[in-house]
Amino acid sequence: MTDLRVRRGVGDGPTVLLLHGLGATSEVWDGVVAALGGAWVAPDLPGHGGSAPLSEYTFPAVADAVADLVDPERTVVLGHSFGGVVGLHLADRPGVRAVVGLGIKVAWTDDELARAAAMAAREPARFDTRAEALTRHLRLSGLDGLVAPDAPAAAAGIVEEDGRWRPALDPRVFGVGDPEMAALLAAASVPVVLARGEHDRMVSRAQLRALVPDPVELRGLGHNAHVEDPAAVAALLARSRHDGG
C-alpha cells in the first residue's frame, strides 16, 4: 500500500471512509466527524498532505492506494469532488455498502481537460515564506475564505523543502482525466447518492439529474459544503450509513 497519512476515529456502526477533494487534506472532514460520531477513517490521498505520491495518477490507481482502508465488514464511503470519483471506484470492494459523492464535477469539456493536463505538467510552486505557500494551498484546494490560514486544514497542506515552502499537492494529480461518471455509476453494485451544494458552480442539478433520478441538493451551500456546514453533510451521510447497515 502507498505510504499514507491516515486519521481514524472509533465508534459504533459502519465505518465511514472519508475521501477529500483535490488539493485538500483529511482535516477538511473534522467538522463532519464531530457531528456524526461513530467509526471513521480519513486518509490524505496520494500526493496530498502527508501522503506519498504515486508514480502515475489515475482514478483506479488512487482507489487502489486507499483500498486497504475499507472495513471488510461494513463501510460507507463519502467522497468530495475528486475523492467522490475515487469512492465510486471502490464501490465493488468487499465491505462497501454505499457511496456518497458530494460536489463531483461530472461533465468535462475538451478545453477543461486540456487545462487540467497543462496544470499537471507544471512544477510545484515554491515560495520564500510559509504565508505565501498557505495562500497558494488554500486557493488550489478551493478553501480560500472558508479556512483560516492558521487552521489545521491549512497547515496540513504545505511542506518545507530546503528552506522554502510549497503546497504539498503533487500537481500531476490534475492529469487524472475525465471521470467517465456514467460508466462508473452503471458499474456500481451498491447504492450511490450524488449530492451538491445549491450554489456549487462545479456541477449543476441538471447534470446530476442526467445521471441519477434523485440527486440531493444542500440548500445555501457551495462546492465545499462539508466545510461550510458540516452538520448538513453529516445528516446526509447518516442516512446512507443507516441504510448501509
Side-chain angles (χ1 to χ4, degrees):
M1 187 173 72
T2 300
D3 184 14
L4 299 175
R5 173 179 178 254
V6 181
R7 303 164 66 229
R8 301 175 186 270
V10 298
D12 297 328
T15 298
V16 177
L17 175 57
L18 298 160
L19 305 175
H20 62 75
L22 196 150
T25 66
S26 60
E27 277 78 8
V28 296
W29 299 113
D30 285 356
V32 173
V33 298
L36 181 70
W40 58 274
V41 57
D44 290 351
L45 293 175
H48 293 74
S51 291
L54 297 178
S55 59
E56 181 180 7
Y57 292 94
T58 65
F59 287 115
V62 177
D64 285 344
V66 301
D68 285 351
L69 299 178
V70 172
D71 182 341
E73 295 296 325
R74 294 180 299 170
T75 298
V76 173
V77 182
L78 168 59
H80 172 243
S81 197
F82 171 84
V85 181
V86 175
L88 285 168
H89 279 274
L90 296 171
D92 63 346
R93 303 282 176 155
V96 173
R97 303 294 181 89
V99 178
V100 180
L102 172 66
I104 299 175
K105 179 175 170 57
V106 300
W108 290 79
T109 66
D110 290 343
D111 184 57
E112 287 170 335
L113 291 170
R115 289 202 302 270
M119 292 185 71
R122 295 178 182 174
E123 287 294 315
R126 292 174 171 82
F127 301 93
D128 292 332
T129 68
R130 185 175 184 272
E132 290 174 297
L134 284 167
T135 297
R136 178 63 172 162
H137 161 60
L138 292 174
R139 288 176 180 169
L140 282 172
S141 58
L143 297 173
D144 192 23
L146 297 176
V147 170
D150 60 352
I158 63 170
V159 294
E160 184 181 9
E161 291 179 343
D162 301 323
R164 303 191 77 198
W165 296 86
R166 68 168 178 84
L169 172 66
D170 183 347
R172 295 178 301 140
V173 181
F174 283 102
V176 288
D178 192 327
E180 301 180 353
M181 285 290 293
L184 272 180
L185 292 166
S189 57
V190 299
V192 173
V193 175
L194 296 184
R196 67 181 288 271
E198 179 185 12
H199 303 303
D200 191 343
R201 291 180 292 181
M202 300 284 286
V203 57
S204 70
R205 180 174 177 82
Q207 288 170 338
L208 292 186
R209 285 185 63 86
L211 294 170
V212 296
D214 53 352
V216 176
E217 189 161 86
L218 301 174
R219 295 287 300 275
L221 302 178
H223 184 60
N224 283 281
H226 54 307
V227 178
E228 298 169 46
D229 190 346
V233 174
L236 167 67
L237 179 56
R239 294 194 292 271
S240 292
R241 199 181 201 184
H242 178 270
D243 294 343

